[in-house]
Every structure is written in structure tokens, then in C-alpha cells.
């Protein structure tokens, strides 16, 4: 939702001084903590926007904000992963974290002030000369201030990026039935789909929007089944287990990447295999339901999420 050079029929306070319709003393921009190199903080599989807040230096706009007549939003967009979400933004610093697996490549971050109700006869003593003597009627959701921020890159950890392909392989089975078969083999978990369903799967896997649905239907049950089978075995160490099932090395690394905790035999024995599978596969059981619901309703709506 980068505004860029868009022209509005009313004055907008822009962080870009070349585009603003206000005097230089008026300011609007957002801030968050970064690393010592000025990079976005990435911890335990999450992009961390620590101390995220906005700065506003304009008396009239501040007054409208305090009265609840305008609100602020922080927007993240990533075209390569089709990610676009808006989050509430405040004057007080708060932390926002986004799963790194949801973002890949170039990510744009921006912030906006928008009308929370219709505002009539709006004027501002810090309009520039062109607008100084005018008043404007603003509709709800009209944008009043813009900080197009900037872009940063998220390079997904190779362990995360290759996680699914290093654990699973999906193959066509010539059986003429409607049963998905799972083989817990040494190198990979093999998911066998009857021929007509394999063809449909090949169409689905080309579309990123359907990833969580296919994971929920195939990968999560398959991994759950194999983890349930393996936990019954009498391996003395994780190394022994990995020696027999090499795909467990990817499970170990992915678990550490997502949770920040070391994966060991105790976790395998004590945690429910279904829970482990969901953690490793992007919580796709729940996200698949969400994606399917959006698909059948015909609305891929932006969601405004609360954050802690």
C-alpha cells in the first residue's frame, strides 16, 4: 500500500518532504529498534519489530488522534509471498513479531494516519501556502498522513526453505482407489497419491495460496503418522535415530529454527506427534482452515491484527 506519488484531493502530511502539503515543522513517521547494523531483528524464526510506534508533530492532528477521530496503521507487504497485513500503530512503543516463513525477499513497511469517522471542515494552521485558507470534508478511512518507510529483505534460512522437500516426497501411485498411503522410509517420508488425485495435487502446489491447505491435508498427517511410529522405537540417542531416518535431521533443525529449542528424544516421547507436526509445518492445520474459508467466501481480506 505504498502511496508514492499519489495525488489526494486534500492536504496530506507526508514523511517525504517533496510530497508533503504541510510546513516543514509538521512531521509524521514510524520507528522501531534495529540491529547495530541497522537491520531488522530476526529471532527464533520471527521478524521482530521491537518498540514499534509513530511520531507525530502537528497540533491539530494530535488533537484528532487523542479524540479518537483518527487512527494509525502499520502495513507490511511482500509480493513474493503474497503477504499483506495491517496492524494497529500507537504513540507508545510496542513489540510486533511476524513469522519469518510468511515473508521472503523484499518486504515493504509503511505507516498511515487515517480518519476513523467523517471529519467536516478540517483545517490546519500548518498547511502549506496552497491550502492554508481552505477547509476540507474528509470521509471515514481517508488518509491524512503517510510514511512510505522503506524496504528490507528477508532471506529465509535454507533449513526452513528446504524443510518440506527434505522431509517429504509426493509420488503418483497407480492404485485405483481413494486412499493416501504413507511410507516412513529411511531417506524421506513418501506420500503416495492415487493418479487422479496426484494430478490435482500438482496443480495445487503451483499456487502459494494453497500451500497451507495441501500441507494440512497431506504433510501434517503424514509426519504425525511417522513420528508416532518412530517414538515407539528404542533408539538410545537422536544421532542413532537420524542415522536410520535421515529426514529426522531436517526435523531437528526445523524445530530449533521455529522454537529456538533443541529437539531431542524427550520431546519426541513427551510431545504429541500431531502438535510437533503442526509446529514444523507453519501451523498449517489452522492456517489451512483460514485459507479455505477465505477461498470459498471469495474474500482474501486484509486483516488488522492486535499485537502485544
Amino acid at each position: 500500500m505504498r502511496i508514492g506519488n499519489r495525488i489526494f484531493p486534500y492536504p496530506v502530511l507526508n514523511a517525504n518532504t517533496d510530497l508533503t502539503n504541510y510546513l516543514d515543522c509538521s512531521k509524521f513517521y514510524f520507528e522501531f529498534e534495529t540491529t547495530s547494523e541497522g537491520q531488522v531483528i530476526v529471532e527464533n524464526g520471527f521478524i521482530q519489530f521491537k518498540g514499534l510506534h509513530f511520531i507525530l508533530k502537528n497540533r491539530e492532528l494530535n488533537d484528532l488522534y487523542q479524540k479518537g477521530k483518527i487512527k494509525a496503521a502499520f502495513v507490511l507487504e511482500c509480493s513474493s509471498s503474497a503477504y499483506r497485513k495491517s496492524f494497529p500503530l500507537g504513540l507508545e512503543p510496542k513489540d510486533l513479531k511476524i513469522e519469518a516463513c510468511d515473508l521472503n525477499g523484499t518486504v515493504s513497511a509503511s505507516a498511515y494516519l487515517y480518519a476513523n469517522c467523517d471529519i467536516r471542515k478540517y483545517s490546519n494552521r500548518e498547511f502549506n501556502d496552497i491550502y492554508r485558507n481552505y477547509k476540507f470534508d474528509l470521509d471515514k478511512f481517508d488518509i491524512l498522513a503517510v510514511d512510505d518507510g522503506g524496504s528490507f529483505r528477508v532471506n529465509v534460512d535454507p533449513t526452513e526453505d528446504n524443510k518440506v522437500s527434505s522431509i517429504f516426497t509426493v509420488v503418483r501411485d497407480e492404485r485405483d482407489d481413494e486412499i493416501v498411503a504413507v511410507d516412513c522410509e529411511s531417506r524421506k517420508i513418501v506420500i503416495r497419491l492415487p493418479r487422479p488425485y496426484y494430478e490435482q495435487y500438482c496443480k495445487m502446489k503451483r499456487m502459494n495460496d494453497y500451500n497451507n491447505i495441501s500441507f494440512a491435508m497431506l504433510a501434517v498427517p503424514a509426519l504425525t503418522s511417522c513420528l508416532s511410529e518412530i517414538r515407539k522405537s528404542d533408539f538410545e540417542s537422536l544421532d542413532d535415530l537420524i542415522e536410520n531416518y535421515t529426514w529426522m535431521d531436517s526435523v531437528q533443525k526445523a524445530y530449533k529454527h521455529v522454537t529456538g529449542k533443541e529437539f531431542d528424544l524427550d520431546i519426541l516421547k513427551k510431545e504429541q506427534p500431531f502438535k510437533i507436526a503442526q509446529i514444523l509445518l507453519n501451523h498449517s492445520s489452522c492456517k489451512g482452515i483460514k485459507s479455505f474459508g477465505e477461498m470459498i467466501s471469495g474474500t482474501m481480506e486484509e486483516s488488522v491484527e492486535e499485537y502485544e
Side-chain angles (χ1 to χ4, degrees), residues 263-277:
F263 185 83
D264 55 29
L265 291 182
D266 284 341
I267 290 175
L268 179 62
K269 297 289 185 181
K270 295 178 181 178
E271 291 282 9
Q272 292 183 348
F274 185 46
K275 179 180 178 181
I276 296 174

Side-chain angles (χ1 to χ4, degrees), residues 90-108:
L91 288 167
E92 295 297 322
K94 292 186 178 180
D95 295 343
L96 170 66
K97 63 180 183 179
I98 307 294
E99 288 186 271
C101 57
D102 287 339
L103 305 173
N104 188 24
T106 301
V107 181
S108 297

Side-chain angles (χ1 to χ4, degrees), residues 2-39:
R2 296 173 68 81
I3 298 300
N5 295 322
R6 178 178 170 185
I7 298 175
F8 291 85
Y10 54 84
V12 171
L13 174 57
N14 200 310
N16 185 338
T17 55
D18 292 332
L19 300 174
T20 190
N21 302 127
Y22 284 70
L23 299 178
D24 290 344
C25 55
S26 288
K27 304 289 183 184
F28 171 74
Y29 55 94
F30 68 93
E31 291 182 334
F32 56 86
E33 297 176 20
T34 60
T35 66
S36 57
E37 293 81 21
Q39 302 298 315

